[in-house]
Amino acid sequence: MDREQAKQEIKSRYAEYLRPAKKRVNGKQTFICPLCNNGTGKDGDGLAINPKAASSYSLKCFKCGFSGDIIDLYQQEHNCDTAEAFNALYD
């Protein structure tokens, strides 16, 4: 597997990294945002797949405004660069 294939694999497995939220948006699963904890309450929207994004793995938080893929989210959560985030998620 080359680096680009590994990157796509990481992005496609975002649900394994995130905790599910109780609320669904348009019938689809949402996840608890690790940046702001949106999705922990009964009314929290959490993170959802961004339907307006070009990538089918782009996430959007309805509270803190985060928008990006799981690698971007890991970077912000752990204050690290792209290489560190990629390596941590790949492991």
Side-chain angles (χ1 to χ4, degrees), residues 12-32:
S12 73
R13 298 176 77 174
Y14 63 88
E16 294 175 25
Y17 177 76
L18 298 169
R19 293 181 299 151
K22 292 180 182 178
K23 189 172 181 182
R24 298 178 79 77
V25 174
N26 295 327
K28 296 184 180 180
Q29 177 69 56
T30 60
F31 302 91
I32 296 171

Side-chain angles (χ1 to χ4, degrees), residues 22-49:
K22 292 180 182 178
K23 189 172 181 182
R24 298 178 79 77
V25 174
N26 295 327
K28 296 184 180 180
Q29 177 69 56
T30 60
F31 302 91
I32 296 171
C33 179
L35 302 176
C36 69
N37 285 320
N38 186 21
T40 56
K42 65 178 182 171
D43 295 327
D45 299 83
L47 284 167
I49 294 296

Side-chain angles (χ1 to χ4, degrees), residues 1 4 13 21 35 42 47 50-51 53 57 59-60 64 70 72 74-75 78-80 82 86-87 89-90:
M1 178 182 309
E4 188 55 38
R13 298 176 77 174
L35 302 176
K42 65 178 182 171
L47 284 167
N50 186 353
Y57 304 124
L59 301 165
K60 173 77 175 151
C64 71
I70 193 67
D72 299 326
Y74 190 95
Q75 280 182 261
H78 297 279
N79 195 28
C80 63
T82 304
F86 175 88
N87 290 332
L89 291 166
Y90 185 77

Side-chain angles (χ1 to χ4, degrees), residues 56-77:
S56 59
Y57 304 124
S58 181
L59 301 165
K60 173 77 175 151
C61 178
F62 299 101
K63 182 177 179 184
C64 71
F66 169 81
S67 183
D69 60 38
I70 193 67
I71 298 171
D72 299 326
L73 182 62
Y74 190 95
Q75 280 182 261
Q76 284 193 24
E77 182 183 9

